[in-house]
Amino acid sequence: MTANTGPDWLGAALEEIPGVRVVRDRDELSTFETDWTRRFTGVARMACLPRDTAGVAGVLAFCARTSVPVVPQGGNTGLVGGSVPRGGELVLSTRGLVALSPVDANAAQVTAGAGVTLERLQQHVRAAGFDFGVDLAARGSATVGGMFATNAGGTRVLRYGSMREQVVGFEAVLPNGGVVSRLGGLPKDNTGYDLGSLLCGSEGTLAVVTRLRLRLVPLLPARAVALVGVVVPADAVTLAARLRRACPSLESLELFHPDGLALVRAHSGLRPPFARDCGAYLVAECAARTDPTEELATALLECPEVVESALATGRPEREALWAYRERHTESINAEGVPVKLDVAVPVAGVASFLRAVRGEVGQAAAGARAIIFGHLGEGNFHVNLLGANEHEEAATAAVLKLVASLGGSISSEHGVGVAKAAYLGLTRSPADQAAMRAIKAAIDPSGIMNPGVIFPA
Ligand code: FAD
Ligand code: 2HG
Ligand code: ZN
């Protein structure tokens, strides 16, 4: 391989690795340098796109030998700044790893390259009569590798769990170039440490995942969606608990507030869902082999918290109701560059959290707007702050401390990235952090993998 000399020694060396495309052009590089929110941006030294596992191994082995820091990147839809360079790293894009095996119908599994988008995976497995257990609005760009690396959640966790629960095997390249492959699809395999579980949620700080063996779920053809208005957010919490008990086919329970609805409407032109305004809104989706509309409608009839409701069974009508919830992220982005906080509290603390959080933001950052929505089923809320200006850090600290005081999580489904690294100590003890750092040092001794992510630089 090319000697470590000359101005372009890195690019020249990477280009010698079969199947690796190197990007040096500044215009093309800029597409790898800024995150989806526009909050996180940095200059990449260059980018490379391997087309197979051997290519990834060649790149990582060379970078470890020459101490070149690497930022793995999938669809670049991550919301915590972990997928873009901070300054001078090599971006290793997985977009070339797009192989997709035929669906193994007997095992209800499929093997997907890390760069396969969620949408492509969904189309592929649905054509074979299966479905994938995780769904999220960034499906057109988010890759399965990125979803694994962040242990993505989304709108179906209530029924199927997060990304970790969908993975029966993985292939990954360690920073020394070693390839770990456990793609046999064995639902039971207790041979030593569960490295896949460790890599899931490691945000590119330990390895580059190259392929995943994924568990599939039945494709449920009959669906019903309800959009419900309630008087106060606490009513949505009670209502959610009732629906969980009453509807065995329940798949999603999502929450949003009137300020978020107004923002979505302003940016999308959608009509108001109801004639009168409500204090909070809940989206509930049921899915089954036979039509679950009656199950959902009957359950709602028995819930005194419901003041407004709309029910949809056909796909376009269901999508129209979901749009009020799913279009929050893009509408917030259209308004400005938000501070994104992705937190969770135990079910018992949800009502207290929703009562207190706006007050905390108001005290820390007068005039800031807090748009709060999310996955009520898991107590997972997205607190998006607009207009916090010079008080962004104070408002972030106030919300995360509130979450910690309620026994919650400061990073529920998006990851720590660089955005939350400074706050790790709020919910992870010194012993816990020391164990995580020891793992990082053992697997990535030269510290080339996504430096600054999870652990402060
Ligand atoms: P990237 O953004 O490219 O990377 C994310 C992290 O993973 C980075 O740290 C990166 O270094 C690392 N990484 C990426 N690929 C690999 C790999 N192959 N090996 C090792 N490390 C890797 N998230 C949710 O959990 N639930 C939601 O409901 C949800 N909805 C969203 C809606 C919108 C509109 C948007 C923009 C984002 C949403 N997200 C959601 C966040 C985002 O889509 C997820 O975090 C997703 O998992 C990121 O996938 P990606 O391919 O874009 O990864
Ligand atoms: C969602 O649930 C995503 O829609 C994005 O996790 C959340 O924009 C956000 O803060
Ligand atoms: Zn979410």
Side-chain angles (χ1 to χ4, degrees):
M1 196 168 280
T2 308
N4 188 347
T5 53
D8 189 32
W9 60 270
L10 177 61
L14 297 181
E15 264 165 354
E16 281 183 21
I17 302 168
V20 174
R21 184 166 87 84
V22 174
V23 179
R24 302 177 182 81
D25 173 72
R26 292 265 35 123
D27 280 347
E28 191 178 352
L29 268 183
S30 67
T31 63
F32 298 94
E33 291 178 325
T34 300
D35 82 319
W36 199 88
T37 66
R38 310 182 302 275
R39 171 168 293 278
F40 301 98
T41 187
V43 176
R45 180 164 179 171
M46 62 187 70
C48 69
L49 291 87
R51 68 158 184 247
D52 57 21
T53 305
V56 175
V59 171
L60 285 196
F62 184 77
C63 289
R65 275 204 308 280
T66 50
S67 298
V68 173
V70 176
V71 176
Q73 186 181 98
N76 198 14
T77 65
L79 299 173
V80 288
S83 55
V84 289
R86 269 69 68 188
E89 298 93 337
L90 170 73
V91 172
L92 191 162
S93 169
T94 61
R95 282 181 218 171
L97 305 175
V98 290
L100 199 46
S101 79
V103 169
D104 179 342
N106 291 338
Q109 294 175 1
V110 71
T111 301
V116 170
T117 63
L118 173 59
E119 191 167 72
R120 191 168 152 237
L121 178 74
Q122 287 173 334
Q123 286 164 355
H124 182 66
V125 304
R126 285 175 187 167
F130 289 91
D131 205 352
F132 188 58
V134 172
D135 195 15
L136 42 86
R139 58 185 76 79
S141 306
T143 63
V144 293
M147 292 168 63
F148 176 77
T150 57
N151 188 22
T155 52
R156 295 178 166 187
V157 174
L158 197 64
R159 188 171 212 160
Y160 299 117
S162 296
M163 193 62 187
R164 183 176 279 119
E165 281 75 47
Q166 322 307 320
V167 175
V168 281
F170 73 98
E171 177 189 80
V173 180
L174 302 176
N176 62 8
V179 178
V180 179
S181 186
R182 300 184 183 179
L183 288 170
L186 296 173
K188 298 180 77 176
D189 181 5
N190 288 351
T191 320
Y193 299 133
D194 186 354
L195 294 182
S197 200
L198 174 65
L199 295 183
C200 185
S202 64
E203 301 183 55
T205 62
L206 297 178
V208 173
V209 61
T210 44
R211 285 194 287 172
L212 291 168
R213 183 76 177 171
L214 297 166
R215 178 171 78 92
L216 303 177
V217 299
L219 181 63
L220 299 175
R223 291 182 170 268
V225 173
L227 176 64
V228 177
V230 295
V231 177
V232 288
D235 286 349
V237 180
T238 314
L239 177 57
R242 288 188 203 278
L243 292 180
R244 287 179 87 138
R245 285 195 295 270
C247 300
S249 64
L250 194 62
E251 194 161 288
S252 304
L253 276 175
E254 301 284 314
L255 177 84
F256 60 90
H257 290 91
D259 49 3
L261 172 63
L263 208 57
V264 168
R265 290 196 46 232
H267 289 281
S268 62
L270 293 177
R271 290 206 306 242
F274 306 123
R276 69 177 138 167
D277 294 336
C278 299
Y281 299 85
L282 183 113
V283 178
E285 175 155 14
C286 289
R289 292 198 188 279
T290 54
D291 189 357
T293 309
E294 199 177 318
E295 176 185 303
L296 184 55
T298 309
L300 288 172
L301 275 178
E302 286 166 15
C303 295
E305 296 80 16
V306 177
V307 294
E308 291 283 357
S309 67
L311 205 57
T313 302
R315 177 189 281 270
E317 295 79 13
R318 284 189 273 119
E319 286 177 353
L321 294 184
W322 263 112
Y324 293 109
R325 160 63 181 89
E326 278 208 330
R327 298 189 71 168
H328 268 64
T329 303
E330 66 185 67
S331 305
I332 291 164
N333 242 36
E335 195 80 355
V337 177
V339 175
K340 284 192 169 288
L341 307 174
D342 159 44
V343 301
V345 290
V347 174
V350 166
S352 313
F353 173 76
L354 291 175
R355 261 196 311 275
V357 63
R358 287 178 198 277
E360 292 291 336
V361 171
Q363 275 197 350
R369 293 154 72 191
I371 311 295
I372 300 165
F373 61 100
H375 316 287
L376 184 58
E378 294 81 53
N380 173 196
F381 302 104
H382 301 305
V383 181
N384 279 243
L385 306 177
L386 286 165
N389 305 325
E390 69 274 20
H391 305 299
E392 286 182 349
E393 283 306 324
T396 298
V399 174
L400 299 186
K401 282 180 185 166
L402 170 66
V403 167
S405 75
L406 291 167
S409 166
I410 63 160
S411 166
S412 182
E413 61 170 6
H414 295 164
V416 175
V418 293
K420 310 290 153 30
Y423 298 95
L424 205 57
L426 278 178
T427 56
R428 293 288 180 258
S429 69
D432 204 329
Q433 289 182 61
M436 289 200 278
R437 282 182 186 277
I439 291 169
K440 166 78 175 166
I443 296 180
D444 180 24
S446 46
I448 61 162
M449 297 302 300
N450 228 355
V453 166
I454 300 183
F455 310 106

